Amino acid sequence: MTHKTDVVIIGSGPVGLFAVFELGLLNLKAHLIDNLDRVGGQCAELYPEKPIYDIPAYPKITGQELTDKLISQIKPFEPTFHLNQQADSIEKIDDGWKIVTSEGTTINARCIVIAAGAGSFVPRKPPIDNIAEFEGTSVFYAVRNKELFKNKKILIVGGGDSALDWTNDLATIADVTLMHRRKEFRAAPDSVNKMLNLEKEGKIKFLHGQLKSLSGKNKMIKEVKYSHEEKEYSIEADYLLPFFGLKMELGPIANWGINLNENLIKVDTEKFETSEPSIFAIGDINTYPGKLKLILSGFHESALMA
């Protein structure tokens, strides 16, 4: 089946969704393509329950709440979503572009807007041979249901924002231990200070170490072995949350002849157009002098792009 529309948006995260609104104000219709099975991008996939603090007018809002409100905001403009598929190929045609997805869907559009966040992403996994045995039951790379961890022993591993934020958040409902190879963190200073205060108050525990192995039965871990300074130790845990970041891949977009810089798409700051006329890039996928990777910045870029 072939669809025809004004704009194809690749990516249905917050920035892609807000682009629908800005385009809709100008009477431009949009179709969105996303390789995830739901809209919301990283907000919905990786931290649906994690609070976000830098959205104007919302002192605190979760990733899923933000997604839900954006969907409500764009509903009058009747966007069409093509989920569980990616934009495999594009071809220049007389009145714009022909986009074909991995599911064989064909869309003809006047313009393409790439709002693919950081591209296709998968979590970086600890190098543990049998970790797949426990994934989805007692090992998780994202938190989608906090209640699952209530009154349980949680081992969080990592030193970035996700590790620190979830340590601080889950400390209110669970027995939380944070593990990192050193007591230096890449997370926001405020999150680090909160974690250190929780440790000082005895509300969480901190361990130096690196994961070595998991053991348990019926897909549930019981013991985690780790090493520090060439010695091996173990800790009991009900759940393991390794936050080692994401592996980012542009996928087919990398082969579209667009000017790239370290897997990011260069754009101007007047229209957020790429080196290919009528292809635009907004949100974390683009780069330009002074770029800030904030949802707020992506909203601003959406307005100027439209």
Side-chain angles (χ1 to χ4, degrees):
M1 182 178 180
T2 300
H3 304 270
K4 189 169 184 179
T5 189
D6 295 310
V7 180
V8 162
I9 300 171
I10 298 169
S12 67
V15 173
L17 294 175
F18 189 68
V20 173
F21 175 78
E22 290 294 338
L23 292 164
L25 293 177
L26 300 171
N27 269 344
L28 296 172
K29 293 290 185 182
H31 281 229
L32 297 92
I33 301 169
D34 203 301
N35 63 344
L36 297 176
D37 61 358
R38 71 191 88 182
V39 301
Q42 293 186 47
C43 270
E45 180 70 9
L46 295 181
Y47 43 93
E49 295 196 18
K50 179 182 169 185
I52 302 170
Y53 299 101
D54 56 359
I55 302 299
Y58 289 98
K60 182 171 77 170
I61 188 169
T62 68
Q64 190 58 57
E65 287 169 344
L66 177 60
T67 299
D68 292 342
K69 289 183 182 300
L70 284 164
I71 291 170
S72 177
Q73 185 180 35
I74 66 175
K75 192 174 181 181
F77 302 115
E78 300 177 334
T80 301
F81 293 94
H82 306 276
L83 303 178
N84 271 327
Q85 52 197 299
Q86 64 181 13
D88 263 1
S89 67
I90 64 171
E91 177 188 341
K92 196 83 173 86
I93 57 177
D94 287 342
D95 57 348
W97 297 94
K98 175 183 174 183
I99 301 97
V100 180
T101 77
S102 54
E103 292 294 307
T105 304
T106 299
I107 310 169
N108 294 339
R110 291 161 56 195
C111 298
I112 296 173
V113 175
I114 303 171
S120 300
F121 55 89
V122 292
R124 296 185 188 275
K125 300 182 180 183
I128 296 173
D129 291 339
N130 66 335
I131 195 164
E133 177 185 335
F134 303 101
E135 288 175 344
T137 52
S138 57
V139 174
F140 296 94
Y141 303 103
V143 176
R144 296 197 178 91
N145 178 15
K146 282 169 37 174
E147 288 301 306
L148 183 66
F149 307 115
K150 194 169 184 178
N151 300 321
K152 300 293 185 180
K153 294 179 180 177
I154 314 298
L155 176 61
I156 297 175
V157 186
D161 285 313
S162 292
L164 273 290
D165 287 348
W166 281 118
T167 294
N168 295 337
D169 196 291
L170 292 175
T172 60
I173 63 168
D175 179 354
V176 175
T177 300
L178 173 66
M179 181 188 295
H180 191 43
R181 59 187 181 276
R182 60 182 183 271
K183 212 164 188 178
E184 297 171 8
F185 306 97
R186 304 181 308 278
D190 182 61
S191 298
V192 175
N193 290 335
K194 286 178 181 175
M195 183 278 294
L196 293 173
N197 286 334
L198 288 172
E199 185 197 14
K200 192 182 299 182
E201 294 165 4
K203 294 178 180 177
I204 65 135
K205 295 181 281 291
F206 176 81
L207 293 175
H208 287 100
Q210 292 182 278
L211 294 175
K212 299 297 289 184
S213 66
L214 303 176
S215 58
K217 59 182 181 179
N218 299 326
K219 299 186 176 182
M220 298 300 296
I221 61 171
K222 287 297 176 187
E223 183 183 43
V224 179
K225 289 186 178 178
Y226 65 99
S227 63
H228 179 60
E229 294 182 344
E230 300 183 358
K231 293 181 180 179
E232 195 166 282
Y233 306 88
S234 68
I235 179 176
E236 288 185 6
D238 298 308
Y239 294 98
L240 171 65
L241 303 177
F243 292 115
F244 291 178
L246 304 169
K247 291 189 289 185
M248 310 300 183
E249 300 172 355
L250 274 184
I253 295 171
N255 303 316
W256 290 357
I258 296 170
N259 194 4
L260 299 175
N261 176 34
E262 296 182 352
N263 264 5
L264 297 172
I265 301 172
K266 288 184 176 181
V267 293
D268 65 54
T269 51
E270 180 186 357
K271 302 185 297 290
F272 292 89
E273 196 168 26
T274 70
S275 58
E276 185 67 48
S278 72
I279 298 182
F280 303 80
I282 55 177
D284 285 357
I285 197 81
N286 75 16
T287 183
Y288 54 86
K291 168 72 178 183
L292 275 178
K293 287 193 174 185
L294 298 173
I295 295 173
L296 172 66
S297 301
F299 290 166
H300 154 78
E301 294 162 11
S302 298
L304 289 179
M305 171 280 298

